[in-house]
Amino acid sequence: MLSIELETLKIHIADPKLASLELRVRVQRALRQLILNGVLAPGCRLPATRTLSQSLSVSRDTVEMAYVQLQLDGYICRREGSGSFVSDKLGAGLLGTRKRHGSLPAALRPKAAQPAALSGRGADILANGGVSDQQVVKAFATGLPETRTFPVETWERLQRQASKDCRSSVLLHGDPQGAEPLRQAIADYLNLERGARVTADQVLVLTSTRQALFLCAQVLADANQPILMEDPGYFGARKAFEMAQLKIVPVPVDEKGLRTDRLRADRSGANTIYVTPSHQYPTGATLALERRLELTAWAAERQGWIIEDDYDSQFHYEGLPTACVQGLDTFQRTIYLGTFSKSLYPGLRMGYMVLPHELVKPMTYARSILDGHTPQIAQLTLARFMDAGHFGAHVRSMRKIYAVRREAMAHAVQRHLSGIVTAHLPPGGLQMPCLLAEGWSEQDTIRQAARAGIQLPGLSRLYARPPAAAGWLLGFAALTPHEIDTATRRLAKAIAQPFAA
């Protein structure tokens, strides 16, 4: 074995990533890597166990056990009286590698960047990027609820009860449609609080709204078909539809929500539309009643589908919340999406769809292929949490807290950012749209805020067509009034400083 190869072997054995392994395993893996890298070519003679053990300062037994394993795995062959050799059966591939790179250690060879062999869909996903979820509370990330006041003790007690009562059955695969107790609890809640018309057999329990959108994109439309979407609209929905290679056709919104006149004028051939009627994302507009009825009539005429995302309708601060479109839809063309990520906590990973009867089976089949089912113990715990009244109590408590924080956000913007942005007080939800005054750059302010550790979600990226409104969407739910004021003051200071590109 050449000295350079011996030194490379020592480097591999000393790799910190292998520190937890037995020495014989480290020696075996290091030799294997030299063979795979082509440093030790097929037919190459290996040192005798005594010689190599002395060179590595390890016992002969250690090297012997490494050689035995390499022989069992087919990397080397051992001939009595002749020695140990790299197996010739490894073929010309390793010889070619040897010829191209010579005897340089793998760690020292230049590595040419090779593009990943992706499908057309995969290449589009890579080019367009994913969706980034905020994993820590940071001003002013959107979609984050207050989790510090969540009744953890109550939840844990109910989880223990569910585990005890159901025993080993919760350890098995669950119903792809969802646990019946939770589906019934969801149906009861929606009928009472959202004016829906739902039975438990129409509910499909999922991990998230994004999963629901993915299922809709896969089941309701083929690649390259058009789908209608509010403009501006939810970034995650756009990503889900793009991943399914659908053609997104934007429909503008105004202060009354989706422009149904523009919807009826659409000639794209689309028969499915994604909307957020109760609290339009991101403008905060509520879809007027007459437009809701026009929307359901449009779906009936087209024999199409309405995907109604009711993502944070529990949190309404002015007057009574408007009933969901699903409850108004006498034609049964509405697919209702809900989530517990904002009403409870994001780590729960629990959402649901309410489906017209004819879609229950295909959507459940599609879900069974995608990921099987949602963990049963979490479903049964949530069902008990809802049945015992804890869910309703928690939502009412959070609604009061968020109302105070919404006011604190508006006052902080007025106090510290007057002349830079204008806040639009939303009637509900967990974030506040703010429009930048003329002369201010959205991208520059976002970069300046990032220097101060503040996340400013921009508004313009939520628009599919110009003109896009420049501004921010400030999440306030996860921050106390004091934290809101402090962060806003810090933001104002960061923006006031000249930005160095």
Side-chain angles (χ1 to χ4, degrees):
M1 181 178 286
L2 298 176
S3 60
I4 189 170
E5 294 166 351
L6 184 61
E7 289 303 313
T8 304
L9 181 59
K10 291 179 179 179
I11 291 172
H12 278 295
I13 294 172
D15 187 345
K17 296 178 181 177
L18 304 178
S20 62
L21 300 177
E22 294 181 38
L23 184 56
R24 63 178 179 83
V25 178
R26 284 150 56 189
V27 172
Q28 177 253 326
R29 291 194 181 183
L31 285 167
R32 182 184 67 183
Q33 196 60 50
L34 290 180
I35 294 170
L36 291 174
N37 288 344
V39 177
L40 299 177
C44 176
R45 182 171 182 163
L46 299 178
T49 55
R50 184 186 303 277
T51 303
L52 186 57
S53 67
Q54 291 173 349
S55 299
L56 296 176
S57 300
V58 299
S59 73
R60 186 179 179 185
D61 284 346
T62 296
V63 176
E64 174 63 26
M65 287 188 287
Y67 275 23
V68 168
Q69 188 61 51
L70 287 169
Q71 183 181 21
L72 289 172
D73 291 342
Y75 288 98
I76 68 173
C77 57
R78 309 182 78 181
R79 303 167 194 157
E80 188 175 350
S82 298
S84 301
F85 301 84
V86 176
S87 175
D88 289 326
K89 295 180 180 179
L90 294 178
L94 293 180
L95 283 172
T97 302
R98 177 83 171 184
K99 290 175 181 177
R100 285 194 301 274
H101 297 296
S103 58
L104 277 176
L108 302 179
R109 295 185 202 132
K111 291 182 172 58
Q114 297 294 326
L118 301 175
S119 67
R121 185 183 296 109
D124 287 343
I125 293 170
L126 179 62
N128 294 324
V131 178
S132 178
D133 288 317
Q134 192 65 39
Q135 297 177 10
V136 295
V137 176
K138 190 175 184 180
F140 292 97
T142 58
L144 282 181
E146 173 59 73
T147 57
R148 289 168 288 190
T149 60
F150 183 77
V152 175
E153 295 80 7
T154 299
W155 183 269
E156 290 177 340
R157 173 172 54 81
L158 294 173
Q159 183 170 274
R160 287 192 299 270
Q161 290 176 2
S163 298
K164 181 180 179 181
D165 291 348
C166 300
R167 299 288 181 180
S168 60
S169 64
V170 298
L171 306 180
L172 299 173
H173 288 291
D175 184 344
Q177 190 175 345
E180 197 280 333
L182 179 57
R183 290 190 284 113
Q184 187 61 60
I186 291 171
D188 291 343
Y189 173 79
L190 294 178
N191 291 334
L192 179 65
E193 298 290 341
R194 297 298 298 125
R197 293 188 295 176
V198 187
T199 57
D201 62 339
Q202 291 178 265
V203 178
L204 174 59
V205 179
L206 301 168
T207 58
S208 65
T209 297
R210 255 177 262 163
Q211 186 181 49
L213 292 168
F214 178 80
L215 287 173
C216 289
Q218 295 296 324
V219 174
L220 302 181
D222 293 317
N224 298 316
Q225 285 190 338
I227 186 169
L228 303 173
M229 183 175 171
E230 299 166 323
D231 188 27
Y234 174 44
F235 190 68
R238 188 194 309 168
K239 286 292 184 183
F241 300 147
E242 286 176 347
M243 189 168 71
Q245 296 182 308
L246 305 186
K247 293 181 179 178
I248 297 173
V249 180
V251 181
V253 301
D254 59 20
E255 68 279 358
K256 292 184 179 180
L258 180 80
R259 290 272 306 273
T260 48
D261 60 324
R262 298 290 291 272
L263 175 65
R264 287 195 169 278
D266 171 66
R267 296 295 179 267
S268 69
N271 71 341
T272 302
I273 183 169
Y274 169 82
V275 290
T276 52
S278 296
H279 182 220
Q280 203 280 326
Y281 190 93
T283 66
T286 299
L287 188 63
L289 176 60
E290 63 273 14
R291 294 189 182 185
R292 291 172 181 247
L293 297 175
E294 289 172 2
L295 178 61
T296 59
W298 170 88
E301 291 169 9
R302 294 273 184 109
Q303 284 298 287
W305 305 106
I306 302 165
I307 304 174
E308 178 183 12
D309 189 350
D310 212 24
Y311 63 102
D312 63 3
S313 61
Q314 298 97 337
F315 305 115
H316 199 85
Y317 314 119
E318 298 175 2
L320 295 175
T322 307
C324 63
V325 170
Q326 193 273 351
L328 298 173
D329 183 9
T330 57
F331 308 105
Q332 291 293 293
R333 309 303 302 179
T334 301
I335 301 165
Y336 180 96
L337 313 186
T339 178
F340 294 102
S341 292
K342 295 174 178 62
S343 54
L344 294 179
Y345 60 93
L348 180 60
R349 304 312 300 150
M350 195 91 72
Y352 56 90
M353 284 199 287
V354 173
L355 298 161
H357 289 286
E358 62 188 289
L359 291 182
V360 172
K361 186 173 288 187
M363 286 289 189
T364 302
Y365 285 171
R367 192 281 163 84
S368 72
I369 297 169
L370 191 62
D371 69 343
H373 63 92
T374 305
Q376 290 198 77
I377 188 62
Q379 292 189 68
L380 296 174
T381 302
L382 179 53
R384 292 177 182 232
F385 192 79
M386 297 181 75
D387 288 340
H390 301 300
F391 179 73
H394 180 69
V395 167
R396 289 190 295 272
S397 174
M398 290 296 99
R399 189 182 296 134
K400 293 177 182 177
I401 290 173
Y402 295 157
V404 172
R405 295 181 180 185
R406 180 189 70 141
E407 296 295 332
M409 185 80 257
H411 289 318
V413 170
Q414 178 63 33
R415 187 181 307 117
H416 303 299
L417 297 169
S418 180
I420 300 175
V421 293
T422 301
H424 290 258
L425 199 66
L430 309 180
Q431 50 269 330
M432 179 175 295
C434 296
L435 298 181
L436 278 163
E438 188 175 350
W440 290 91
S441 164
E442 180 181 288
Q443 291 306 313
D444 283 350
T445 56
I446 289 174
R447 288 193 291 266
Q448 287 169 304
R451 293 188 309 180
I454 294 173
Q455 180 172 326
L456 283 184
L459 276 177
S460 61
R461 71 185 185 123
L462 303 178
Y463 286 79
R465 288 179 178 170
W472 317 319
L473 192 61
L474 302 182
F476 57 81
L479 305 172
T480 66
H482 175 71
E483 290 168 339
I484 289 170
D485 189 76
T486 300
T488 308
R489 192 185 310 115
R490 194 166 78 247
L491 172 60
K493 184 178 179 180
I495 291 177
Q497 296 173 353
F499 178 73

